[in-house]
Amino acid sequence: MSGRRSLTWLGLTPEPERELPSTVAALRSPASDADMTAPGLAAAERRRVERLILHGTERSWLRYLAEVTDLVTAVASGARRGDRAAALLAGEVVLEHHRMLIGLPGTGYGRTAADRRALETAVSSLRRTSPARSDTTPATAEATTPDATNPAGTTTTAAEAPPETPQPPHTPGTRQGRQGGRG
């Protein structure tokens, strides 16, 4: 590579920079209640992520995500007290990010293999043992915000959400796609 830094890692999903600051702040918080997380902790985490994205490298970004992985796996294993719902969200976000590294040039995917395995175990454990969420007790505000795919703003997890599969086009002579009558 020439003297310029590679920016291909910035082309991945924006979810980590959007979801992780408040979630990681909740995991780092000494408070046992996620609602007690100081806004200052989330702001500091947001500044750290912003600094990594604007001035960091793929290696420094992956080091940060390894720290998040350590927090998630510690909460999942019970080695650290923490908000299990926040750990689950952070684990899912980082795991998805690490899975997408396969599409980028370089060694990022290979370097994150151990973290992916640890996150798969932790996420599985957190999904099994996290208390059931209801519409009145969301795990995070982001999980209940109305949007195009969730207009009512009800809480759903990736496991509960219906798969988004495209419907096959209507083929003449089949019943599929008809709204009653002949067509």
Side-chain angles (χ1 to χ4, degrees):
M1 182 168 120
S2 66
R4 299 186 335 223
R5 74 178 199 166
S6 171
L7 301 176
T8 57
W9 63 279
L10 293 172
L12 287 177
T13 179
E15 276 75 15
E17 64 190 89
R18 212 177 340 169
E19 301 285 345
L20 291 180
S22 59
T23 306
V24 172
L27 293 174
R28 291 188 198 276
S29 173
S32 61
D33 185 356
D35 293 335
M36 301 299 286
T37 302
L41 291 174
E45 200 68 35
R46 193 168 286 103
R47 283 189 302 273
R48 182 176 182 203
V49 167
E50 182 177 301
R51 195 170 43 253
L52 281 167
I53 290 181
L54 294 176
H55 305 291
T57 62
E58 179 181 15
R59 190 173 299 270
S60 63
W61 177 245
L62 293 178
R63 273 195 308 266
Y64 171 76
L65 295 178
E67 286 179 35
V68 176
T69 298
D70 291 343
L71 288 168
V72 169
T73 57
V75 170
S77 71
R80 178 185 179 101
R81 291 183 57 188
D83 181 345
R84 295 180 71 77
L88 176 59
L89 177 61
E92 289 172 335
V93 167
V94 175
L95 180 58
E96 188 62 25
H97 174 279
H98 284 358
R99 286 176 174 160
M100 285 190 275
L101 287 171
I102 197 168
L104 295 182
T107 60
Y109 186 77
R111 286 197 327 254
T112 60
D115 284 353
R116 278 194 313 278
R117 285 189 300 275
L119 285 166
E120 286 167 353
T121 301
V123 165
S124 177
S125 171
L126 290 164
R127 283 181 180 153
R128 281 192 315 272
T129 61
S130 290
R133 295 183 227 163
S134 71
D135 292 344
T136 57
T137 56
T140 64
E142 292 85 3
T144 60
T145 303
D147 62 21
T149 59
N150 189 2
T154 55
T155 303
T156 58
T157 64
E160 296 168 339
E164 293 185 26
T165 55
Q167 296 299 317
H170 170 69
T171 305
T174 66
R175 297 174 57 96
Q176 191 171 344
R178 292 190 181 166
Q179 296 289 331
R182 298 195 187 276

